[in-house]
């Protein structure tokens, strides 16, 4: 019996680094978090430089515990497949029962969602528990529908819904709500009717709760939607174009509706445009309660266009507008307000199609002066469709580039400083024969980046291409 007790003590010393002068062992405890919540089943390793390694797993709250520790120095390392962990490991000095600072799990993934139809993603947004929701258009055998898809933080699809109520439907913008529902904005047309602005609310499973259409006798379509939630003023503001009313071939229409989709004011009561073709790509809210819209003016020949930014107030009244003449044909694809009130706008410009380049500009909050305007060429052609800001105020853009010697697009991701200088660049693609394009980038809740786009394989079909990356646009496993 005495020999057995001595043997157990020696095993304890070897495995746990025991100090035989210490009367009791100590506990080391910590937590592994995914999207602010504990992550269950994570392998966590405790390593002593002299006595080796012990493994344990996190419980339902993401908590790990090592019960037989002793006064010493340790390294703690969690392991999660296909994820970045911040920090990678922690070194701790244990003198008493010890609580270790949290480990943050950042999922990193690249997913291709393919279905029997041709799916073209137009918009994405963050949802509850670090998930994402995507909206776009889908087509099959001459009919065009809308789709919405939702995934969790690991990129696992939760559901995918299509809406085929008419000959033509499209979801161009989506806004998720706090209760898990979402509101879609797009277009709906029949075989004998022109397109109307279509808005619909869906529940947390993608089922339609209500839907409304607004329009005239010509083509009208919504392209972007934002939430309005300032005190008693609640609802949605929608950036659309109308051919049914206005001065030119098409005008921009800022439409407001309440939480039930009922239009505020009269139809076509806030139009912006002139004698030419005016288009809009996006609308975004400002800290003063107003809104910014980015788009273009296309002139009568349709081979010349200028970018345009429009600022409106909370009553949808024109405050100011600014036009850019970057090249023969240029369009503004996105606009954002910075924390200091300045505005950043980006887009695509070209003299000859298939020889596009990126342009990006920073201007004062009143639109009166440009602080800087930059043009960027990557490969033989490139463009950007969306941008976001990271926690440090850097500008993150996504779009496409066509490398030299090739005819197919790759998804492009750029990190720019606040002065518009390129800090890093990442390029992603599924195959050299495919066209891969980034459509939207958003800052993830864990400090990384989420990107969505499209993969087009010749004329065979289009799939949804999504990535979850770290803060430098890297897919590191």
């Amino acid at each position: 019996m005495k020999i057995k007790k001595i043997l157990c003590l020696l095993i304890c010393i070897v495995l746990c680094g025991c100090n035989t002068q210490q009367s009791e062992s100590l506990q080391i405890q910590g937590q592994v978090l995914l999207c602010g919540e504990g992550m269950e089943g994570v392998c966590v390793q405790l390593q002593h430089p002299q006595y080796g390694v012990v493994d344990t797993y996190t419980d339902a709250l993401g908590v790990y515990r090592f019960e037989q520790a002793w006064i010493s120095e340790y390294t703690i390392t969690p392991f999660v497949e296909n994820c970045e962990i911040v920090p990678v490991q922690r070194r701790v000095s244990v003198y008493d029962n010890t609580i270790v600072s949290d480990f943050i799990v950042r999922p990193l993934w690249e997913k291709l969602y393919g279905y029997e139809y041709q799916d073209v993603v137009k918009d994405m947004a963050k949802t509850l528990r670090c998930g994402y929701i995507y909206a776009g258009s889908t087509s099959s055998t001459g009919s065009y529908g809308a789709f919405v898809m939702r995934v969790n933080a690991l990129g696992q699809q939760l559901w995918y819904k299509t809406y085929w109520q008419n000959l033509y439907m499209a979801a161009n913008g989506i806004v998720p709500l706090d209760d898990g529902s979402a509101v879609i904005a797009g277009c709906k047309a029949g075989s004998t009717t022109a397109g109307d602005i279509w808005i619909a609310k869906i529940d947390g499973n993608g089922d339609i709760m209500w839907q409304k259409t607004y329009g005239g006798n010509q083509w009208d379509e919504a392209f972007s939607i934002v939430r309005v939630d300032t005190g008693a003023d609640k609802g949605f503001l929608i950036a659309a174009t109308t051919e049914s009313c206005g001065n030119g071939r098409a005008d921009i229409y800022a439409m407001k509706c309440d939480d039930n989709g009922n239009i505020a004011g009269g139809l076509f009561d806030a139009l912006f445009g002139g004698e030419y073709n005016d288009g809009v790509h996006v609308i975004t809210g400002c800290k003063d309660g107003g809104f910014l819209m980015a788009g273009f003016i296309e002139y009568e020949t349709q081979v010349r266009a200028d970018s345009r930014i429009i600022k409106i107030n909370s009553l949808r009244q024109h405050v100011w507008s600014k036009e850019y003449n970057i090249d023969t044909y240029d369009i503004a694809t996105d606009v954002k307000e910075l924390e200091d009130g300045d505005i950043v706008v980006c887009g695509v410009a070209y003299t000859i199609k298939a020889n596009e380049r990126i342009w990006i500009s920073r201007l004062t909050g009143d639109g009166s002066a440009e602080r800087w305007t930059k043009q960027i060429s990557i490969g033989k052609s490139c463009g950007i469709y969306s941008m976001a800001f990271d926690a440090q105020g850097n500008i993150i853009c996504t779009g496409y580039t066509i490398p030299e010697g090739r005819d197919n697009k790759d998804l492009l991701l750029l990190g720019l400083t606040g002065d518009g200088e390129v800090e890093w660049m990442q390029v992603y693609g599924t195959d050299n024969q495919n066209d891969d394009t980034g459509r939207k980038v958003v800052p993830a809740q864990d400090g990384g980046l989420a990107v969505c786009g499209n993969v087009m394989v010749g004329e065979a079909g289009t799939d949804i291409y999504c990535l979850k990356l770290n803060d430098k646009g890297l897919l590191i496993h």
Side-chain angles (χ1 to χ4, degrees):
M1 179 65 70
K2 183 176 180 181
I3 295 173
K4 187 174 181 180
K5 287 183 178 179
I6 294 172
L7 181 60
C8 289
L9 179 62
L10 288 173
I11 292 172
C12 178
I13 293 172
V14 171
L15 292 181
C16 303
C18 296
N19 182 341
T20 55
Q21 297 179 348
Q22 187 173 320
S23 60
E24 62 181 42
S25 61
L26 302 174
Q27 182 185 87
I28 301 174
Q29 177 179 311
Q31 193 172 24
V32 179
L33 300 177
L34 171 64
C35 193
E37 299 182 0
M39 188 174 184
E40 184 178 5
V42 176
C43 177
V44 182
Q45 189 178 88
L46 179 72
Q47 183 172 13
H48 188 279
Q50 183 177 357
Y51 299 113
V53 172
V54 177
D55 292 341
T56 190
Y57 289 85
T58 57
D59 62 18
L61 298 177
V63 175
Y64 61 88
R65 297 178 181 86
F66 295 99
E67 305 284 356
Q68 298 293 323
W70 300 87
I71 294 174
S72 189
E73 304 286 328
Y74 297 92
T75 300
I76 301 174
T77 309
F79 297 91
V80 183
E81 186 178 357
N82 296 333
C83 290
E84 181 180 60
I85 301 176
V86 182
V88 174
Q89 58 182 210
R90 291 190 183 278
R91 298 183 184 277
V92 294
S93 299
V94 176
Y95 300 100
D96 201 343
N97 291 329
T98 301
I99 303 295
V100 180
S101 298
D102 296 335
F103 288 96
I104 307 300
V105 176
R106 291 178 178 172
L108 301 173
W109 45 263
E110 179 182 28
K111 301 280 187 177
L112 195 62
Y113 305 94
Y115 300 93
E116 60 199 286
Y117 310 119
Q118 296 194 50
D119 297 317
V120 178
V121 67
K122 301 290 186 65
D123 197 13
M124 73 172 292
K126 294 177 285 190
T127 60
L128 303 174
R129 303 190 68 180
C130 298
Y132 303 95
I133 194 165
Y134 309 88
S137 60
T138 183
S139 62
S140 175
T141 61
S143 295
Y144 297 85
F147 81 84
V148 177
M149 180 181 72
R150 188 170 174 182
V151 305
N152 63 16
L154 300 175
Q156 298 164 338
Q157 182 183 300
L158 301 178
W159 49 259
Y160 168 90
K161 293 290 179 74
T162 56
Y163 311 92
W164 296 89
Q165 298 167 359
N166 283 60
L167 180 67
Y168 177 87
M169 295 184 72
N172 296 324
I174 191 164
V175 172
L177 303 178
D178 292 340
D179 62 358
S181 63
V183 176
I184 308 164
C187 184
K188 184 176 182 179
S191 58
T192 59
T193 58
D196 286 332
I197 295 165
W198 173 57
I199 55 174
K201 184 175 182 179
I202 58 174
D203 63 19
N205 296 313
D207 297 321
I208 291 179
M209 302 173 68
W210 55 253
Q211 59 180 321
K212 302 287 178 71
T213 56
Y214 297 98
N217 57 4
Q218 300 296 321
W219 195 273
D220 308 308
E221 184 166 0
F223 291 96
S224 183
I225 180 172
V226 291
R227 179 73 166 137
V228 178
D229 190 0
T230 55
D233 187 14
K234 297 182 184 297
F236 305 93
L237 199 63
I238 296 161
T241 59
T242 175
E243 297 179 2
S244 300
C245 188
N247 299 313
R249 186 162 68 86
D251 279 1
I252 298 169
Y253 173 33
M255 187 183 90
K256 188 176 180 182
C257 64
D258 63 20
D259 279 347
N260 295 312
N262 300 311
I263 193 170
L267 185 63
F268 304 133
D269 62 343
L271 298 179
F272 306 92
E275 59 182 308
Y276 302 113
N277 181 33
D278 296 278
V280 65
H281 286 286
V282 69
I283 186 169
T284 187
C286 300
K287 292 189 291 292
D288 64 1
F291 301 88
L292 288 163
M293 296 185 288
F296 61 90
I297 306 170
E298 188 179 59
Y299 299 103
E300 66 277 3
T301 61
Q302 298 185 21
V303 296
R304 190 168 68 87
D306 289 334
S307 303
R308 184 165 67 168
I309 311 303
I310 301 173
K311 173 70 181 287
I312 61 175
N313 62 21
S314 60
L315 301 175
R316 296 176 293 148
Q317 297 166 333
H318 182 273
V319 178
W320 56 261
S321 59
K322 178 177 176 57
E323 296 175 14
Y324 285 87
N325 181 13
I326 304 294
D327 208 327
T328 303
Y329 200 103
D330 56 88
I331 58 175
T333 54
D334 204 357
V335 62
K336 293 284 190 297
E337 184 184 47
L338 291 162
E339 284 296 322
D340 63 5
D342 276 6
I343 295 164
V344 179
V345 57
C346 65
V348 182
Y350 61 86
T351 303
I352 302 172
K353 190 70 174 171
N355 190 23
E356 298 98 338
R357 63 189 183 281
I358 295 164
W359 70 270
I360 186 165
S361 179
R362 180 168 178 168
L363 58 154
T364 56
D366 60 4
S368 62
E370 297 176 27
R371 298 200 187 277
W372 49 258
T373 298
K374 304 287 179 70
Q375 297 186 46
I376 303 169
S377 294
I378 300 171
K380 67 179 184 180
S381 186
C382 61
I384 51 176
Y385 295 124
S386 171
M387 65 178 173
F389 303 125
D390 67 12
Q392 290 73 43
N394 297 313
I395 306 165
I396 312 299
C397 306
T398 192
Y400 68 91
T401 179
I402 302 177
E404 297 289 349
R406 285 197 20 219
D407 296 321
N408 301 99
K409 296 177 181 178
D410 284 335
L411 186 148
L412 175 67
L413 198 62
L414 287 178
L416 309 178
T417 66
D419 296 323
E421 299 297 328
V422 176
E423 189 172 42
W424 53 262
M425 178 182 75
Q426 309 297 343
V427 176
Y428 290 93
T430 54
D431 189 279
N432 286 340
Q433 303 303 314
N434 296 344
D435 273 335
D436 306 310
T437 304
R439 299 296 306 188
K440 188 73 178 280
V441 58
V442 298
Q445 290 160 283
D446 61 11
L449 302 169
V451 184
C452 73
N454 299 305
V455 175
M456 185 169 63
V457 186
E459 298 180 358
T462 305
D463 289 334
I464 306 162
Y465 183 34
C466 303
L467 302 103
K468 171 61 175 58
L469 309 164
N470 71 7
D471 58 343
K472 299 300 182 183
L474 292 171
L475 187 66
I476 302 174
H477 296 322

